[in-house]
């Protein structure tokens, strides 16, 4: 499970509605008005009674009511949750859609950026009317802590997973970082920048838009520069880790345990064993608290069934058994930039009211991100295919980074890599997020074609609880805990086996089971929506 989200903890926050709706979308009213400054989702909006002299002024054709909720963001979020379930549960049967072993991107590698991008958009809409900055900051901090703690609880190993009926965890080996933890970091940085770094001014031109938010752009650039500087400039020494079993001759006995030695002693490596991302996590968190089954175990060096998991080939490198966290500290810095990108897309919703102007700005921005991502990735292929690291003289001067060294890094480019969350990967996936949101916005909020996406909209309204129960495996694992005589005789395994029997194929039966699972969670979310139950932290 490497895919999530603050977004639902916002109660799927979008724009509150103060005028009667004229078609399109479902929704209801609350029995009490919302708190001042709080932006409620469509399903919780309150329309106050109108005075005698109330006149319903129609919205100009081709424009959008600034206080009208966007259903497209709910659908975008629901689509992301459905995609997450698909790649998590069907990725084993279809390795092509599972996460790329190290370099490159697959369908699964778009899930995390989609969530981060949606978080950024939501922040722009929620914080636009925050009048008390200190109170809003306290709420952001509290929500960040809640998300981080939920992430530790779900991914720290405290609950058994599918096919593993065990409970409890050795605190000495708990995983501290994960999906929700990364979301909380991106949310925290983007939300604080929206609260404190936005200028109070009216946007009436592109220049005014840049003046209002340019400090946030500077912060995003500084985060990217910090990431690139550490990724290529940090010296990674030779290191060792406790091996579960030896698969090379470099095993060193130590107090009755076995350790593998990984020889590094270099800078700028983007390969699995010697990159700065893993080094910082080992240094700060400790290798026992990292993800113990990283994706690079599916590379050709580590798996005979690559790109799927499999037995290691003869004389496989020692680092194949080493831990690595795909949601590490340094990579989360670059992941936060995706939140900042979504934040700017949300600003376009807030400051521009014409539908086609929003679509034009979103499309141009998304295409620019996509093209730049491809450009940087193409240049970065030279790193992936030939050099494993830059010579230190190109990276650093005596104590600090040289401007010429940083220029070499930019010119050389960076390959696409989700585990490292490289610059090219950030650009490419953020651009794809913008394209998908733009397409959904045009169909749903401009053309009002909502019924075909109603199931996804329901799931987007309660994305967080679906993530906790489905991606966190709490619900299917709980079902597996009830079995008849043998642990294999449970409802989850029986249903999957039944679908495989019907389709006469393990692979396609698994896919059918996952589609049935997605449909179940859509209907479950719809049931919660009809009952007006919405989960948030």
């Amino acid at each position: 499970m490497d895919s999530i989200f603050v977004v639902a903890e916002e109660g799927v926050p979008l724009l509150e509605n103060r005028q009667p709706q004229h078609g399109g979308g479902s929704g209801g009213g609350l029995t009490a008005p919302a708190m001042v400054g709080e932006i409620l989702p469509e399903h919780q909006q309150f329309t106050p009674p109108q005075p005698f002299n109330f006149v319903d002024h129609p919205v100009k054709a081709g424009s959008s009511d600034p206080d009208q909720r966007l259903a497209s963001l709910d659908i975008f979020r629901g689509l992301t949750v459905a995609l997450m379930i698909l790649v998590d549960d069907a990725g084993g049967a279809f390795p092509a859609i599972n996460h790329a072993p190290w370099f490159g991107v697959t369908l699964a590698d778009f899930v995390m950026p989609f969530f981060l991008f949606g978080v950024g958009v939501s922040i722009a809409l929620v914080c636009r009317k925050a009048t008390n900055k200190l109170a809003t900051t306290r709420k952001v901090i509290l929500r960040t802590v809640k998300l981080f703690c939920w992430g530790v609880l779900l991914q720290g190993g405290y609950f058994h997973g599918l096919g593993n009926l065990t409970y409890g965890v050795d605190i000495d080996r708990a995983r501290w970082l994960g999906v929700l933890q990364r979301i909380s970091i991106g949310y925290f940085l983007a939300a604080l920048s929206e609260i404190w770094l936005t200028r109070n001014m009216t946007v009436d031109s592109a220049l005014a838009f840049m003046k209002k938010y340019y400090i946030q752009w500077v912060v995003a650039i500084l985060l990217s520069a910090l990431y690139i500087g550490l990724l290529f400039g940090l010296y990674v020494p030779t290191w060792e880790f406790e091996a579960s079993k030896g698969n090379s001759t470099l095993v060193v006995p130590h107090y009755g345990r076995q350790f593998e030695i990984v020889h590094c002693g270099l800078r700028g490596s983007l390969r699995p064993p010697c990159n700065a991302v893993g080094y910082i996590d080992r240094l700060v968190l400790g290798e026992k608290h990292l993800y113990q089954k990283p994706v690079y175990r599916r590379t050709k060096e580590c798996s005979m069934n690559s790109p799927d998991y499999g037995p290691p080939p003869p004389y496989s490198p020692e680092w194949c058994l080493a831990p690595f966290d795909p949601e590490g500290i340094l990579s989360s810095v670059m992941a936060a930039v995706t939140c900042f990108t979504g934040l700017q897309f949300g600003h376009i919703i807030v400051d521009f009211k014409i539908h086609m102007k929003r679509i034009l700005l979103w499309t141009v921005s998304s295409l620019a991100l996509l093209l730049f991502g491809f450009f940087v990735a193409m240049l970065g292929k030279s790193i992936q295919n030939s050099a494993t690291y830059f010579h230190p003289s190109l990276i650093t001067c005596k104590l600090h980074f040289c401007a010429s060294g940083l220029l070499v890094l930019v010119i050389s480019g960076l390959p696409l890599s989700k585990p490292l969350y490289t610059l090219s990967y950030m650009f490419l996936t953020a651009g794809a997020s913008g394209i998908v949101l733009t397409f959904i916005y045009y169909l749903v909020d401009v053309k009002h074609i909502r019924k075909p996406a109603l199931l996804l909209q329901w799931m987007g309204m309660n994305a967080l609880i679906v993530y906790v129960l489905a991606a966190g495996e709490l619900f299917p694992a709980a079902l597996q805990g009830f079995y008849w005589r043998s642990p294999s005789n449970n409802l989850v395994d029986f249903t999957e086996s039944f679908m495989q029997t019907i389709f006469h194929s393990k692979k396609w039966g698994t896919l059918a089971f996952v589609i049935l699972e997605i449909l179940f969670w859509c209907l479950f979310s719809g049931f919660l929506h009809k009952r007006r139950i919405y989960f948030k932290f």
Side-chain angles (χ1 to χ4, degrees):
M1 179 196 66
D2 189 18
S3 347
I4 122 240
F5 14 82
V6 230
V7 302
E9 88 286 2
E10 293 287 2
V12 195
L14 288 177
L15 300 181
E16 99 187 293
N17 190 355
R18 300 188 181 190
Q19 292 182 347
Q21 297 298 313
H22 299 281
S26 61
L30 291 178
T31 57
M35 294 176 60
V36 177
E38 182 178 2
I39 300 174
L40 295 176
E42 181 182 30
H43 48 274
Q44 295 181 4
Q45 290 171 354
F46 170 76
T47 303
Q50 306 300 340
F52 296 123
N53 60 349
F54 174 77
V55 179
D56 182 12
H57 298 286
V59 180
K60 182 180 178 180
S63 66
S64 172
D65 179 0
D67 289 326
Q68 182 180 359
R69 174 184 173 82
L70 295 176
S72 52
L73 190 53
D74 271 335
I75 296 173
F76 176 81
R77 190 172 299 124
L79 176 64
T80 306
V81 175
L83 182 63
M84 172 194 66
I85 297 174
L86 175 67
V87 298
D88 280 353
D89 295 348
F94 296 87
I97 69 172
N98 205 347
H99 293 286
W102 192 254
F103 291 120
V105 290
T106 64
L107 186 63
D109 295 318
F110 286 91
V111 174
M112 171 64 79
F114 275 26
F115 276 120
L116 292 167
F117 183 88
V119 168
V121 176
S122 296
I123 291 172
L125 304 178
V126 171
C127 295
R128 69 192 182 105
K129 291 184 177 180
T131 56
N132 190 329
K133 292 186 177 182
L134 288 177
T136 306
T137 300
R138 285 195 293 267
K139 291 181 180 180
V140 167
I141 294 174
L142 180 60
R143 180 160 291 143
T144 299
V145 172
K146 287 181 179 179
L147 278 173
F148 195 94
C149 292
W150 264 102
V152 173
L153 184 64
L154 290 174
Q155 296 193 252
Y158 296 93
F159 302 101
H160 73 265
L162 292 176
N164 182 22
L165 297 179
T166 60
Y167 178 81
V169 66
D170 182 359
I171 299 298
D172 186 50
R173 295 182 175 272
R175 184 186 176 197
W176 299 129
L177 293 179
V179 174
L180 284 181
Q181 296 93 311
R182 168 168 287 181
I183 295 293
S184 68
I185 294 171
Y187 166 72
F188 177 76
L189 294 175
L192 288 188
S193 72
E194 182 67 7
I195 296 169
W196 296 100
L197 303 180
T198 301
R199 301 179 65 183
N200 187 16
M201 58 183 294
T202 302
V203 174
D204 53 7
S205 65
L207 181 60
F209 184 84
M210 295 180 63
K211 287 182 177 180
K212 184 175 183 178
Y213 303 112
Y214 81 94
I215 302 180
Q216 294 180 354
W217 299 3
V218 171
V219 173
I221 292 173
L222 290 177
L223 289 175
S224 301
L226 174 65
Y227 169 85
I228 292 175
L230 291 175
L231 181 66
F232 288 98
L234 191 63
Y235 178 81
V236 180
T238 295
W239 56 285
E240 65 178 22
F241 67 95
E242 186 177 354
S244 57
K245 63 176 182 177
N247 72 324
S248 75
T249 59
L250 300 176
V251 178
V252 178
H254 184 63
Y255 296 107
R257 297 178 293 175
Q258 290 184 328
F259 285 78
E260 292 277 4
I261 298 176
V262 182
H263 293 278
C264 295
L266 47 81
R267 291 182 174 88
S269 174
L270 300 182
R271 299 289 180 176
C274 299
N275 59 79
V277 173
Y279 172 60
I280 291 176
D281 290 336
R282 293 190 299 270
L283 188 65
V284 176
L285 303 174
E287 55 97 0
K288 293 181 181 180
H289 299 288
L290 306 181
Y291 189 54
Q292 299 298 313
K293 196 177 180 181
V295 292
Y296 58 62
R297 292 193 181 183
R298 295 192 285 109
T299 59
K300 292 182 179 179
E301 296 96 327
C302 300
S303 174
M304 297 180 66
N305 298 334
S306 182
D308 198 3
Y309 289 103
Y315 306 105
S316 60
E318 65 283 350
W319 51 263
C320 287
L321 297 178
F324 179 87
D325 208 306
E327 283 81 38
I329 298 173
L330 182 58
S331 57
S332 292
V333 171
M334 181 57 71
V337 179
T338 302
C339 283
F340 278 83
T341 307
L343 189 62
Q344 305 313 312
F345 275 67
H347 291 156
I348 292 175
I349 299 176
V350 173
D351 294 314
F352 298 95
K353 314 308 177 185
I354 307 300
H355 284 313
M356 297 315 296
K357 182 173 289 187
R358 289 175 176 174
I359 292 175
L360 176 62
L361 292 173
W362 280 353
T363 302
V364 172
S365 301
S366 301
L367 291 178
L369 289 168
L370 283 173
L371 291 176
F372 198 73
F374 276 118
F375 175 74
V376 176
M378 291 299 100
L379 292 178
K381 277 192 172 182
S382 60
I383 303 175
Q384 176 184 348
N385 296 330
S386 56
T388 58
Y389 65 96
F390 289 101
H391 192 276
S393 63
L394 294 178
I395 305 302
T396 60
C397 295
K398 296 178 182 178
L399 297 176
H400 303 286
F401 299 127
C402 294
S404 59
L406 292 177
L407 179 61
V408 169
L409 297 180
V410 175
I411 294 177
S412 300
L414 290 167
L416 297 167
S417 176
K418 190 267 181 188
L420 298 177
Y421 217 105
T422 54
L423 189 66
S424 57
Y425 172 77
M426 188 278 296
F427 280 127
L428 182 69
T429 54
S433 302
I435 290 293
V436 173
L437 179 60
T438 302
F439 180 72
I440 297 175
Y441 175 80
Y442 177 76
L443 292 180
V444 174
D445 290 298
V446 178
K447 294 300 182 180
H448 302 290
I449 305 175
R450 298 190 182 183
K451 288 185 178 179
L454 185 60
L455 293 177
L456 295 178
Q457 185 176 5
W458 287 344
M459 189 152 60
M461 290 176 177
N462 260 308
L464 185 60
I465 190 61
V466 174
Y467 171 77
V468 170
L469 295 179
E473 298 182 346
L474 294 187
F475 182 74
L479 288 182
Q480 278 193 333
F482 295 90
Y483 55 87
W484 174 254
R485 294 184 178 178
S486 172
S488 61
N489 296 329
N490 60 79
L491 183 61
V492 176
D493 293 339
F494 172 79
T495 305
E496 185 172 3
S497 300
F498 180 71
M499 300 303 295
Q500 292 171 354
T501 302
I502 292 178
F503 284 86
H504 301 285
S505 170
K506 183 177 181 179
K507 182 169 65 174
W508 294 106
T510 299
L511 179 61
F513 171 77
V514 173
I515 293 175
L516 187 65
E517 180 184 3
I518 294 173
L519 179 61
F520 167 81
W521 289 114
C522 287
L523 297 176
F524 173 77
S525 301
F527 171 79
L528 295 179
H529 171 59
K530 296 302 180 183
R531 295 282 182 175
R532 300 189 180 280
I533 300 173
Y534 307 100
F535 289 88
K536 64 177 182 178
F537 292 145

